[in-house]
Amino acid sequence: MALLCLILFGILQVSYVVAARNVINYAAVATARAASVGLNDFMLYKVSHYAAIPAAGPIYTPQGFTGERPEGESAGALFSNALSRKKTPRSSIGQYEVANAQTYHLSSTAEYNTILDYDNWQREETDIHFTVEEDDKLDLLHVTIEQNIPLVLPFSRAFFSHLNTVKAERNGEDGTYPAKLIRAKATIEDHAKLYLIGTRD
Amino acid sequence: MPNPHPRKSGQAIIFLMVVMVIGLLAVVWNFDLHRVISAKLRMRNAGDSAAMAAARWQGHSLNMIGDLNLIQAAILSLAYEEYQDALSEWEDAGGEASGEPEPEFEDYYDLAEMEALHELRLRIEFVGPLAGFAVAQQTAFNNGALPDPRLAANLVDFAADLRDEVARQPYDNAFDEYADLLDMLVFRGVAVSSYSLRLRNHPLTNEEFYGAIAQALADWWCPMYAYRDEMENYEDFESWTKLDTEFRYNFMFDLQLDEFTMTLSTDGYDIPNSAMLDGDDYTEEFGDFITSNEVIEAFGSSGFAFEGMLEALDVEWHVYNNSWARPWPRPAEYDDETNPRRLKPLAIHSRVKTKYNYLGAVSGISMSAEVGRGILASSDNETVDLSYRAKAKPFGFLNLDAGQEPPHYFGFVFPAFEEVRLVHFDIGNKVLSGVFYEHVTRHLESYLDRGPEATNPQCSYCQLLVKWEELNFQDGLEWLERAYNDDRNNPCDPEDDGYDPVWGDAGGGATGGS
């Protein structure tokens, strides 16, 4: 029976990693598209993070004055809420995430993490990181996104502990979890190069 | 006799089957997720390529109009040369004393010919962008876009409105022809829209208001600070200021041009408003440019093009309107203390080149489609709504002796557009998503007449209006009061704690990634 439980959670954990890979791939494309029209690094940060919300873990803000999180399912539980504008998001959090896409993107450096923030973004080692390389000869941009996804389901140590471990927050408490590094690359034409002065550097 | 040791191995098989079913569900769930993400990526590609194709047609249309302006200038140049010869002969013959009437310039060109050229330009200005709209549809379909039946219905409504339109038409039957072409497009299937309305300033026509409702639902009231008056005075739906629901459409991919006739004033000749020069600088540089133009030279006489243009006072030209003279938003620059915060900067990494620093024609598109949730959907109606918006722009410049200048440097439209690039969605006039367009044009009127019960249950903005009625405004106002009374720790106006020194004053200033 214990073996079957191990297999069950193993399947769920692998499934989560595959889904997260899909999401990070999408985030790479979204970030590359944003870079191609000349958005600055702060915007790329927000675009890469918003596109990868489904792999961000439970929501961290808004918490209001009381410090209590809004009721509803966590972002990780409802991937499709964050992937698209649904007519009827199933939870208040889903509705919040979708309705605030524009507000989040418009926010300043002092505001953005008061609008949307998630457990995986709290620590450098589980946050999303992006790099943009310019290919001057071909006018291309190569964008790489990577994130250490903490694997928090029961028995995950049995499958992933040999990869690496990270400290991550879960529901306000620190813990050490095995992690899977997911890296995605996207290449796109540098449209802004025609009309903007200078380069990203 | 009962067996004292019943067999238990069968229980493990049941559990194993449960595990296998859960495993299968996990695989199918991933398959469905991948399907949705693939559809989103396809929509991005289709949207970008459609915007580029439309912008390419905007550039073609502008170049054709510019060529016709040049041809008109060439004809007038030839006419002016003949007129000059006739004037010399008349003067040689004694002028007034000869008894012959003094030659008049307008007798040396055919005004009907000029009017025909003008109507041709008007047709290109009006129908050229619509051709771009048609090309955008085909390009989107070629890149995997799905037909949008709701867009088709909206376009049919738009065509019907156009047929009833009583405003001045650019040429006879222009609106009817435009409506016929729209109907033809709808018949073939459409996927790409370019919804653009002239909206008055009202919370209900502002997307940010709906975002603020969603945040208030999560007990985060900061964005509602802008709507304090509404919260204080709201009793029911009848409290809203009435909205003019007769919305004015902007035409798809408008080229942003004006018609212009040269006039004489006490200061000399009036020049187009969008021109970047004035006075003697204008006269000198424009004269040099137009008399050395290759197209005009090819007609046989270019030496009098400048005089021909200035003195043909009954001839119409196509010029750039004032939107071309509007520059791009300032970039939010790192550590730029000179950036006036009153002007909202755009979060781009550097400034726009001077020769391209104009708005003018921009092709903005929006797409939406419903994708089935996949194998795990509980019914066929369970869909994921995808949407995407993109903008592209024709780029060009005038090659002058002194260097490269923007196309509207002299105000007149001349062929200049050779490049097309994607630009950020906040550049140029706002293009609405299909969902918001429908909400504003179709749902708001019934909401304002009959309240939340009359809203559309399929519309997310309507749902937020229903939630608006349920908000506890008193709690919200108290929340905001507490926030704004706390000078040191106001969550709505947080001070930068220096956590992000890399970005400096990077600004927000962009509504999204595209």
Side-chain angles (χ1 to χ4, degrees), chain A residues 40 83-84 87 100 195 197, chain B residues 40 215 350-351 384 422:
Chain A
N40 65 20
L83 285 170
S84 62
K87 283 177 191 160
N100 280 295
Y195 49 84
I197 296 169
Chain B
K40 277 180 78 75
Q215 295 198 49
S350 43
R351 292 173 193 278
V384 175
L422 292 171

Side-chain angles (χ1 to χ4, degrees), chain B residues 19-79:
Chain B
V19 168
M20 285 176 68
V21 168
I22 291 173
L24 187 66
L25 285 176
V27 170
V28 171
W29 176 71
N30 259 301
F31 179 79
D32 285 352
L33 175 75
H34 184 75
R35 202 167 146 272
V36 171
I37 290 181
S38 298
K40 277 180 78 75
L41 291 173
R42 250 196 334 272
M43 182 176 265
R44 277 177 171 272
N45 278 335
D48 285 349
S49 51
M52 296 270 285
R56 179 73 66 190
W57 268 86
Q58 282 184 314
H60 289 333
S61 303
L62 286 165
N63 286 342
M64 282 192 276
I65 290 169
D67 278 328
L68 289 169
N69 265 348
L70 282 177
I71 289 169
Q72 189 165 288
I75 293 170
L76 289 172
S77 182
L78 285 170

